[in-house]
Amino acid sequence: MPADLRTPRSRPLVSVIIPTLNRAAALDAALNSVRTAARRLSDDGDAVEAIVVNDGGRSVGGLVDAWKPRLRVTLIELDRCSGGASVPRNVAIDAAQGEYIAFLDDDDVFLPPHLAVGCEPLRRGEADFVYSGAVVSERRLDALPKDLGDHRLKAYPYDPRFLMVANYLHTGSVIVRNFRRTDVRFDPRLDVCEDWDLWIALTAELNYRVAFVDEITSVYHQIPDTSGVVSGAQLISPSKFALARDYINAKWPVADPVVEGYRAWLVALERHRDDLIARRRRMPNLLFDEILGYLHERITRGLPPDHSHIARFFAAAAPVGPEAIA
């Protein structure tokens, strides 16, 4: 570890942005993971500040205060719920003093190497936008599983075409050069896929250079629960994600026939999904992660979209209740 990363500093090297809403236990675990990762970056953890923004939920002042002796942490509590992560993240960006900004949702965790590994390409001037791999888990994890064979991973090498088709980056895997002095922000009109929109803005508007670190350094929790944003959206037609994708596609038009073709493929896939939901079929929990693996392989190999493959992703779409239509 370079020596200058292990000295106290008045200005933090990294600002970790954490929006939160009524998930105190998960937030506590998230802050613990930030503290552990911060200690890998500097002996006393002083190189990292955490900025927690409570999006109008129950106060977490006591929880955050308990962390202050161990972690450089600021709490901002909003008066009302904004209905998504964009507004609280933007509030945190405006307050971020770090040279770099890292993102973490309150129900996910960093693994210990995350900040040290992700900051290195930034410090060397090789990139402005770094992301690493994430393990996708249907149960709570606070450490990397010994056997990753039973887990899906979000660990795809960078491909600008793929980014214009789908969001294959886990929010908690990204560290970027601080952009608070620019006009780029999370789009408050989006309550899902707002991170994907930001990744496109940083690369398209600010020309951020992207680097992928091929190491699993965070956990993306996708626990089956219809109250969650992702799993709950699987029961809705049209899904929030389909509407957000349409919005982002219109906001960021392309003239690349490969991108256009796979955008159309995803629209067709959503139509198929909507038909199954109308017939009361429940979608598999990690459906989108399976689709991402398929898309990445085909787009990076230059293969054309094949609409005959769509139905294969829904083989596990089980009926919901005895009234399901066959």
Side-chain angles (χ1 to χ4, degrees):
M1 180 64 63
D4 60 340
L5 276 184
R6 293 189 172 273
T7 57
R9 58 185 67 230
S10 58
R11 181 188 179 193
L13 184 71
V14 188
S15 298
V16 180
I17 290 175
I18 310 174
T20 190
L21 179 62
N22 296 335
R23 292 196 286 208
L27 174 62
D28 192 56
L31 288 170
N32 184 57
S33 77
V34 173
R35 173 59 176 164
T36 302
R39 292 295 298 270
R40 286 286 187 97
L41 196 59
S42 64
D43 287 331
D44 58 5
D46 192 58
V48 176
E49 67 169 354
I51 304 176
V52 176
V53 182
N54 182 5
D55 192 26
R58 293 185 295 273
S59 177
V60 291
L63 186 156
V64 171
D65 285 345
W67 274 102
K68 286 183 177 178
R70 295 169 287 165
L71 177 67
R72 188 171 178 171
V73 57
T74 298
L75 172 63
I76 302 171
E77 301 210 79
L78 304 184
D79 293 336
R80 65 187 66 181
C81 181
S82 67
S86 291
V87 170
R89 286 191 185 130
N90 287 341
V91 169
I93 290 167
D94 291 340
Q97 297 298 312
E99 296 175 43
Y100 314 128
I101 292 175
F103 303 96
L104 182 63
D105 287 346
D106 64 354
D107 60 337
D108 296 327
V109 294
F110 291 157
L111 296 174
H114 177 69
L115 295 175
V117 166
C119 284
E120 273 303 292
L122 295 165
R123 293 184 66 255
R124 292 195 299 261
E126 298 170 355
D128 311 293
F129 181 131
V130 176
Y131 71 98
S132 51
V135 58
V136 184
S137 179
E138 295 184 272
R139 60 183 179 84
R140 294 291 306 180
L141 295 177
D142 56 11
L144 190 66
K146 293 182 179 179
D147 183 5
L148 290 174
D150 295 332
H151 293 82
R152 291 197 175 275
L153 304 178
K154 277 197 169 183
Y156 302 103
Y158 180 60
D159 185 291
R161 278 178 160 173
F162 190 24
L163 185 61
M164 298 305 292
V165 173
N167 186 17
Y168 60 94
L169 310 183
H170 167 48
T171 309
S173 72
V174 173
I175 307 175
V176 300
R177 196 169 303 282
N178 193 327
F179 56 94
R180 72 185 180 96
R181 299 191 186 280
T182 76
D183 293 331
V184 171
R185 290 294 186 273
F186 288 94
D187 190 332
R189 289 165 291 191
L190 290 166
D191 60 357
V192 297
C193 299
E194 72 286 339
D195 53 346
W196 179 27
D197 177 74
L198 184 76
W199 312 151
I200 296 174
L202 290 173
T203 54
E205 291 189 1
L206 299 187
N207 297 313
Y208 270 20
R209 299 162 300 155
V210 181
F212 168 59
V213 177
D214 191 8
E215 184 172 338
I216 304 301
T217 67
S218 62
V219 179
Y220 178 31
H221 288 121
Q222 280 295 292
I223 299 170
D225 176 4
T226 57
S227 65
V229 172
V230 175
S231 52
Q234 299 291 2
L235 306 177
I236 301 169
S237 174
S239 75
K240 288 185 176 183
F241 294 96
L243 296 174
R245 185 179 298 116
D246 290 345
Y247 173 83
I248 290 171
N249 287 350
K251 182 178 179 180
W252 302 102
V254 293
D256 184 327
V258 173
V259 173
E260 290 177 330
Y262 277 99
R263 283 181 169 185
W265 186 91
L266 280 170
V267 170
L269 180 140
E270 286 288 346
R271 285 199 299 265
H272 187 86
R273 173 190 171 279
D274 290 346
D275 177 65
L276 290 174
I277 289 177
R279 294 163 52 195
R280 299 189 58 79
R281 300 297 175 112
R282 184 183 297 276
M283 297 298 103
N285 187 49
L286 299 182
L287 172 64
F288 186 63
D289 294 283
E290 182 180 357
I291 292 167
L292 280 180
Y294 169 86
L295 288 174
H296 182 265
E297 179 182 8
R298 294 187 67 84
I299 292 172
T300 56
R301 291 173 58 194
L303 299 174
D306 189 334
H307 288 241
S308 70
H309 292 171
I310 288 174
R312 70 168 65 169
F313 297 102
F314 300 92
V320 180
E323 64 276 88
I325 300 173

